[in-house]
């Protein structure tokens, strides 16, 4: 029989549901804005859509699965493993989407003249597909054998039991901390984050150099171009910063668990770290709305046209014209 849910678990579930209710509609709005607005159809915004898809899946899939794991149902080992793996897939997808966005911004300021011939829609689509393929391979690695099954079997044999065992489904029960730290964090999380930091530093350096040049009156267009690039780069760097701020605490706790087994980590810290990781999926649409004018205008257009029943064509046309600026 299922154990009754405690007051603490009820509070946890309530916060998770609240995060999902913010994350899913917000990121659907991002995807909707890009789909309906021609001004948001370049490579950067395609990568942002890939990131938004991952964030929608966090709210619609990962959070419900996290609630299930928190309740701790009795399941077979691989059933529990299937419940634990989606968060690994979507985390890696978000990281690779952020890396693709960083590389795209770098190319925009490094080769502005040749950018459109280098970053074509086809190549952007291939890059997004590769990001998702790699994400599935990294996230499903525990399903291929890097998990705690052998450890649990040895424990079962020591206890003299030879029947097929049923476990209490918990993340750390099935997912190996060696995998989480050595492979997931040290290979697929930390290096991309450091690489993105270097890329954005180079982007800001290149932009500053261009903006600090003494330009003639005929050079207004390059100045305007790099001025816009600086604003967008700052916004996307903020998205990266929030991602790192949200995910690093949980990985640090994983490192403590692996390297200091005797250390007792307060459960409240673990829950705060989990809330940060899930809450990150709700942050990006807010950043776009406040920091990127094209998104803000597109969001207002969707709100006015579909939720406030303002279908005046002149208003819609005006909004679209503003968005294109």
């Amino acid at each position: 029989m299922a154990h009754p849910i405690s007051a603490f678990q009820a509070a946890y579930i309530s916060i998770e549901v609240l995060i999902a209710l913010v994350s899913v509609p917000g990121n659907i709005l991002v995807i909707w804005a890009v789909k309906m607005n021609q001004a948001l159809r370049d490579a950067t915004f395609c990568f942002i859509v890939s990131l938004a898809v991952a964030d929608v899946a966090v709210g619609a899939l990962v959070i419900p699965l996290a609630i299930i794991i928190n309740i701790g149902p009795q399941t077979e080992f691989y059933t529990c493993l299937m419940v634990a793996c989606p968060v690994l897939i979507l985390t890696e997808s978000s990281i690779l989407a952020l890396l693709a966005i960083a590389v795209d911004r770098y190319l925009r300021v490094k080769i502005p003249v040749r950018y459109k011939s280098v970053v074509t829609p086809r190549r952007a689509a291939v890059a997004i597909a590769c990001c998702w393929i790699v994400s599935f391979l990294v996230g499903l690695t525990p399903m291929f054998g890097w998990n705690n099954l052998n450890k649990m079997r040895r424990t079962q044999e020591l206890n003299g039991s030879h029947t097929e065992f049923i476990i209490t489904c918990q993340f750390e029960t099935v997912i190996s901390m060696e995998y989480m730290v050595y492979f997931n964090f040290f290979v697929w999380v930390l290096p991309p984050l450091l690489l993105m930091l270097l890329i954005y530093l180079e982007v800001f350096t290149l932009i500053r150099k261009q903006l600090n040049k003494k330009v003639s009156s005929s050079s207004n267009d390059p100045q305007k171009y790099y001025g816009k690039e600086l604003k967008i780069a700052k916004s996307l760097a903020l998205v990266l910063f929030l991602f790192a701020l949200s995910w690093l605490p949980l990985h640090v706790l994983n490192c403590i668990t692996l390297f200091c087994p005797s250390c007792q980590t307060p459960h409240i810290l673990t829950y705060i770290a989990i809330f940060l990781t899930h809450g990150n999926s709700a942050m990006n649409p807010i950043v776009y709305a406040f920091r990127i004018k094209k998104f803000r205008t597109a969001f207002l257009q969707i709100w006015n046209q579909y939720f406030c029943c303002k279908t005046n064509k002149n208003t819609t046309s005006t909004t679209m014209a503003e968005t294109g600026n």
Side-chain angles (χ1 to χ4, degrees):
M1 291 181 63
H3 297 289
I5 296 175
S6 66
F8 187 85
Q9 284 180 316
Y12 166 81
I13 292 170
S14 300
I15 295 172
E16 290 280 38
V17 169
L18 180 61
I19 293 172
L21 290 176
V22 175
S23 176
V24 173
N27 285 286
I28 288 176
L29 192 62
V30 171
I31 299 167
W32 192 354
V34 174
K35 184 178 185 300
M36 71 177 296
N37 199 315
Q38 194 67 35
L40 297 172
R41 294 289 180 84
D42 63 15
T44 299
F45 295 109
C46 291
F47 294 131
I48 286 176
V49 166
S50 179
L51 180 60
V53 169
D55 287 338
V56 169
V58 169
L61 177 64
V62 169
I63 287 179
L65 293 179
I67 291 172
I68 291 173
I69 286 181
N70 181 260
I71 294 172
Q74 300 293 307
T75 68
E76 294 182 353
F77 184 88
Y78 276 100
T79 301
C80 184
L81 201 57
M82 288 171 57
V83 172
C85 281
V87 67
L88 304 174
I89 297 169
L90 295 172
T91 304
E92 191 57 38
S93 174
S94 297
I95 291 170
L96 294 179
L98 289 168
L99 180 58
I101 290 169
V103 172
D104 178 72
R105 301 324 295 184
Y106 174 76
L107 293 175
R108 278 181 174 273
V109 299
K110 185 67 175 179
I111 52 169
V113 176
R114 295 191 296 117
Y115 170 79
K116 288 188 177 180
S117 63
V118 172
V119 185
T120 62
R122 179 182 176 84
R123 287 174 179 171
V126 169
I128 291 171
C130 289
C131 288
W132 279 98
I133 290 170
V134 171
S135 300
F136 272 92
L137 291 175
V138 172
L140 292 177
T141 296
M143 294 292 295
F144 303 145
W146 198 345
N147 54 52
N148 286 336
L149 181 59
N150 289 334
K151 185 188 295 184
M152 296 193 70
R153 279 177 174 165
R154 286 195 297 270
T155 302
Q156 184 189 34
E157 289 171 0
L158 289 174
N159 293 333
S161 174
H162 301 285
T163 59
E164 184 177 355
F165 58 89
I166 300 298
I167 64 170
T168 300
C169 186
Q170 299 287 341
F171 187 85
E172 291 185 17
T173 303
V174 294
I175 299 294
S176 165
M177 274 299 119
E178 287 81 2
Y179 161 82
M180 286 301 301
V181 174
Y182 293 127
F183 186 68
N184 189 279
F185 183 47
F186 286 168
V187 177
W188 291 104
V189 174
L190 194 57
L193 287 178
L194 294 175
L195 179 58
M196 282 184 269
L197 175 62
L198 295 175
I199 290 173
Y200 275 111
L201 288 175
E202 181 65 16
V203 166
F204 290 131
T205 301
L206 290 171
I207 292 174
R208 293 293 185 188
K209 284 180 180 179
Q210 294 295 329
L211 293 177
N212 289 336
K213 284 182 179 178
K214 291 183 178 180
V215 295
S216 63
S217 59
S218 62
S219 300
N220 287 332
D221 284 343
Q223 289 292 98
K224 185 178 180 181
Y225 174 83
Y226 285 107
K228 285 185 176 180
E229 286 300 313
L230 180 59
K231 290 180 181 178
I232 294 177
K234 284 181 177 179
S235 301
L236 296 174
L238 176 60
V239 170
L240 172 61
F241 172 75
L242 291 174
F243 183 90
L245 191 66
S246 299
W247 278 95
L248 287 178
L250 187 60
H251 284 289
V252 169
L253 291 178
N254 288 339
C255 290
I256 293 172
T257 300
L258 178 64
F259 297 127
C260 183
S262 61
C263 297
Q264 295 295 323
T265 304
H267 287 298
I268 188 64
L269 289 182
T270 303
Y271 279 105
I272 290 173
I274 291 171
F275 289 142
L276 281 173
T277 61
H278 295 165
N280 179 252
S281 298
M283 296 176 190
N284 293 342
I286 298 171
V287 173
Y288 304 150
F290 281 96
R291 301 276 307 182
I292 301 178
K293 184 179 178 182
K294 288 181 179 180
F295 267 120
R296 183 166 63 250
T297 310
F299 290 165
L300 288 173
Q301 180 196 348
I302 291 171
W303 176 259
N304 290 333
Q305 185 173 346
Y306 294 95
F307 297 98
C308 293
C309 300
K310 293 181 181 179
T311 56
N312 185 294
K313 291 184 179 180
N314 291 330
T315 302
T316 303
S317 300
T318 302
T319 308
M320 287 296 289
E322 291 175 354
T323 307
N325 291 335

